[in-house]
Amino acid sequence: MTPDLRDDAAKPVAVIVRSATPEDAERIAALHTQGWLNYRGLLPDRFLDDPERPGRALARWRSQLAATTDGTGTREPVMQVAVAEAAGRVVGFASWGPCFDPGLRDHDEMVDLWVDADERGRGIGSALLRHGLASCRRPVAFWVLRGNDRAAALYRRFGAVDGRLDRRQPLATGAGGEDLVGDMVDHLWVIR
């Protein structure tokens, strides 16, 4: 089973892509939480059904959108975050910035690209990806969950090539670092 891979081309929608603000944190967290559910069948139900996921997502995005890097209070987040609006409603978001993976530190990384499930196939992901790529000045890495063929196809349309590398990482760890639900395997795609 793979995430929603419907081939029916929905009618494109007018999209405005803009920098995210702290006021967007709640909607971004909701989209992020909703997006993970599309991986049912690829990731363990125990991970996907975690009742604390929405709260953790909200805390992450509140923190991310308020982050500073220089200690002076100047808002210069390490990661950039953009949202896509259609008809005045946030329907997707993306985040990107420097890649911190060993061996890829000379790359930028598209960390998140999520679109409301009801809005997929309408050009929103492409608009967000175009926006993020325009601000990257180095090759861009994309870690894509194995089995997420829809995302891999989108990145290939933008020129991504197979990075020929997989990484395995725990989905959730306990306070002592123990694995709680298993691993996920991501595959690397790169735009040079």
Side-chain angles (χ1 to χ4, degrees):
M1 174 188 238
T2 57
D4 180 18
L5 297 179
R6 60 185 173 192
D7 290 322
D8 58 322
K11 186 176 180 183
V13 64
V15 176
I16 296 169
V17 177
R18 62 169 174 79
S19 293
T21 67
E23 291 74 29
D24 294 314
E26 204 167 303
R27 180 65 179 144
I28 289 172
L31 287 167
H32 202 180
T33 300
Q34 172 201 65
W36 278 105
L37 297 178
N38 291 302
Y39 294 130
R40 195 161 305 279
L42 296 176
L43 296 175
D45 288 346
R46 182 174 168 204
F47 172 74
L48 296 173
D49 297 335
D50 180 353
E52 295 180 14
R53 175 172 309 291
R56 281 194 310 271
L58 183 56
R60 172 196 171 186
W61 289 108
R62 281 183 174 154
S63 173
Q64 177 69 44
L65 294 173
T68 63
T69 60
D70 66 2
T72 66
T74 303
R75 186 173 183 272
E76 294 182 24
V78 171
M79 302 302 288
Q80 296 181 55
V81 183
V83 295
E85 288 184 339
R89 184 172 156 260
V90 172
V91 293
F93 75 95
S95 72
W96 63 93
C99 187
F100 297 107
D101 288 295
L104 294 172
R105 295 190 192 274
D106 59 342
H107 287 62
D108 287 324
E109 178 179 1
M110 183 65 65
V111 178
D112 293 290
L113 180 59
W114 301 88
V115 174
D116 186 309
D118 294 333
E119 301 292 337
R120 292 196 185 126
R122 302 182 75 188
I124 296 164
S126 293
L128 284 162
L129 184 54
R130 245 187 315 282
H131 182 83
L133 291 174
S135 70
C136 293
R137 301 291 173 249
R138 307 181 300 173
V140 180
F142 305 83
W143 288 103
V144 178
L145 180 67
R146 276 260 180 227
N148 187 352
D149 300 329
R150 184 183 191 104
L154 173 64
Y155 298 146
R156 281 194 307 272
R157 284 195 302 274
F158 276 80
V161 296
D162 189 336
R164 303 195 184 283
L165 181 65
D166 284 341
R167 75 174 175 190
R168 180 176 299 278
Q169 57 185 1
L171 288 167
T173 55
E178 70 277 14
D179 180 6
L180 296 179
V181 293
D183 294 340
M184 70 178 189
V185 178
D186 293 325
H187 186 75
L188 177 65
W189 293 87
V190 178
I191 295 178
R192 304 241 179 247

